[in-house]
Amino acid sequence: MRIANWNVNSIRTRTERVLDFLQRHKIDVLAVQETKCADDKFPYQAFEDAGYHVAHCGFHQWNGVALISRHELHDIRREFPGQPGFHKDPDEPQNIEARAIGARIGDTDTEVWSLYVPNGREITDRHYEYKLFWLYALRDYVREQLALAADKKILLTGDFNIAPRNEDVWDLRVFDGATHVTEPERAAFQMLEEAGAREITRELTESRYTYWDYTSMRFAKGEGMRIDFQLASPQLVKQARAGFVDVDERHGKGASDHAPVVVDFQASDFDEVR
């Protein structure tokens, strides 16, 4: 089974581009981030006409996550247990944002999540604290699930808005005092791995980066970041065989500022849904 994750930076703007990517690379499951639309504005028909099943979580024109799959999606969840909410005003209700959607794929027992981790904005902003709490809650979910069943198959995919290592940014000096590279963020990412969700894309892909800002000709200069990942439970780690970052998708008119990350898994239960 081929599973990809991609922050598309507006699904309605890039519907045809996403469809072409799905079909060109024979993607089985695509986890999408930043759809930037409410549920009733998502282009379901375009994907369903092409033979895909879709689950989407979007409340307005910000955030938004989706799963697009060749196989039926079961047990769909639009948030994970303990997921915190956010409002810039601490006195207002802290509502859950459209940042997580998970489902079981086809007849398998594999649970795939599309995740758009909060950006954090500035280290002095409440959003930074929210980002850390969000990651802690995700860690707790993984840890609890694997405590219940050590062989459970969970795949966390998406835009994590963290560069876990110094080499994951083109120039660490540019990020002095900024989010994405702070020790608390990196520690939170490490906690996910310690809970049992191992990052698998780095060892399988050759490309150094997955994101290049639109500003200052970052892509042309090779000034990128590695912030898009797939984290797998131990049982799925064994089944990850190959991967690549489709850097070509960052080229050309109308490209997202992120490139898709693709991983191939080999497993008997995946074979059953082909």
Side-chain angles (χ1 to χ4, degrees):
M1 178 174 279
R2 176 165 282 185
I3 300 178
N5 55 283
W6 189 8
N7 180 323
V8 299
N9 193 14
S10 177
I11 190 66
R12 289 180 293 173
T13 300
R14 299 183 173 85
T15 299
E16 291 303 318
R17 193 160 187 149
V18 173
L19 279 167
D20 177 70
F21 167 77
L22 285 166
Q23 295 165 358
R24 177 161 39 87
H25 288 301
K26 298 180 179 179
I27 303 296
D28 290 290
V29 181
L30 174 61
V32 183
Q33 298 82 49
E34 275 206 279
T35 60
K36 291 187 175 180
C37 66
D39 286 340
D40 62 351
K41 300 296 184 182
F42 190 93
Y44 294 98
Q45 197 67 49
F47 294 99
E48 290 169 355
D49 287 349
Y52 297 93
H53 302 270
V54 180
H56 179 254
C57 178
F59 305 136
H60 39 61
Q61 73 272 29
W62 306 112
N63 307 319
V65 284
L67 291 169
I68 302 173
S69 173
R70 292 182 183 273
H71 317 292
E72 290 187 18
L73 299 168
H74 304 286
D75 306 326
I76 297 167
R77 285 172 285 172
R78 291 158 61 93
E79 62 186 78
F80 56 84
Q83 181 178 330
F86 179 78
H87 192 286
K88 63 181 180 180
D89 185 343
D91 295 325
E92 292 292 325
Q94 305 297 297
N95 296 321
I96 298 294
E97 296 185 305
R99 293 186 175 276
I101 190 165
R104 183 169 54 81
I105 307 302
D107 295 328
T108 76
D109 59 355
T110 299
E111 180 182 300
V112 177
W113 285 88
S114 177
L115 304 170
Y116 181 41
V117 175
N119 177 280
R121 299 176 184 168
E122 304 288 339
I123 59 176
T124 56
D125 196 296
R126 286 188 66 248
H127 206 261
Y128 177 78
E129 183 179 71
Y130 163 57
K131 177 179 190 175
L132 296 177
F133 286 148
W134 202 96
L135 289 162
Y136 300 157
L138 182 62
R139 172 207 59 193
D140 291 345
Y141 173 68
V142 171
R143 186 164 55 194
E144 289 164 5
Q145 290 300 299
L146 293 179
L148 290 171
D151 60 347
K152 183 163 185 176
K153 298 173 184 176
I154 304 175
L155 186 66
L156 309 179
T157 79
D159 178 356
F160 283 77
N161 272 315
I162 298 172
R165 301 182 185 178
N166 290 349
E167 62 263 32
D168 294 336
V169 296
W170 79 93
D171 187 345
L172 193 60
R173 294 170 297 181
V174 176
F175 294 86
D176 185 32
T179 61
H180 290 55
V181 299
T182 67
E183 286 307 311
E185 290 168 289
R186 289 179 169 182
F189 191 92
Q190 181 62 33
M191 287 177 189
L192 286 171
E193 296 204 272
E194 291 171 356
R198 176 179 156 191
E199 202 293 298
I200 57 174
T201 65
R202 187 185 303 276
E203 63 192 58
L204 296 174
T205 59
E206 294 182 359
S207 177
R208 183 176 178 185
Y209 303 132
T210 64
Y211 165 82
W212 301 259
D213 199 327
Y214 289 129
T215 63
S216 304
M217 300 287 290
R218 295 291 187 210
F219 184 63
K221 295 176 182 177
E223 297 176 346
M225 303 176 70
R226 190 182 192 102
I227 57 175
D228 303 88
F229 300 99
Q230 295 190 19
L231 280 68
S233 62
Q235 198 67 19
L236 279 179
V237 169
K238 300 174 186 177
Q239 298 160 0
R241 292 292 182 267
F244 63 94
V245 178
D246 188 0
V247 178
D248 287 343
E249 276 295 345
R250 184 59 180 82
H251 285 279
K253 184 178 180 180
S256 169
D257 45 2
H258 293 250
V261 179
V262 183
V263 175
D264 290 331
F265 294 87
Q266 182 179 339
S268 58
D269 64 343
F270 283 161
D271 293 339
E272 292 172 8
V273 298
R274 282 197 174 278

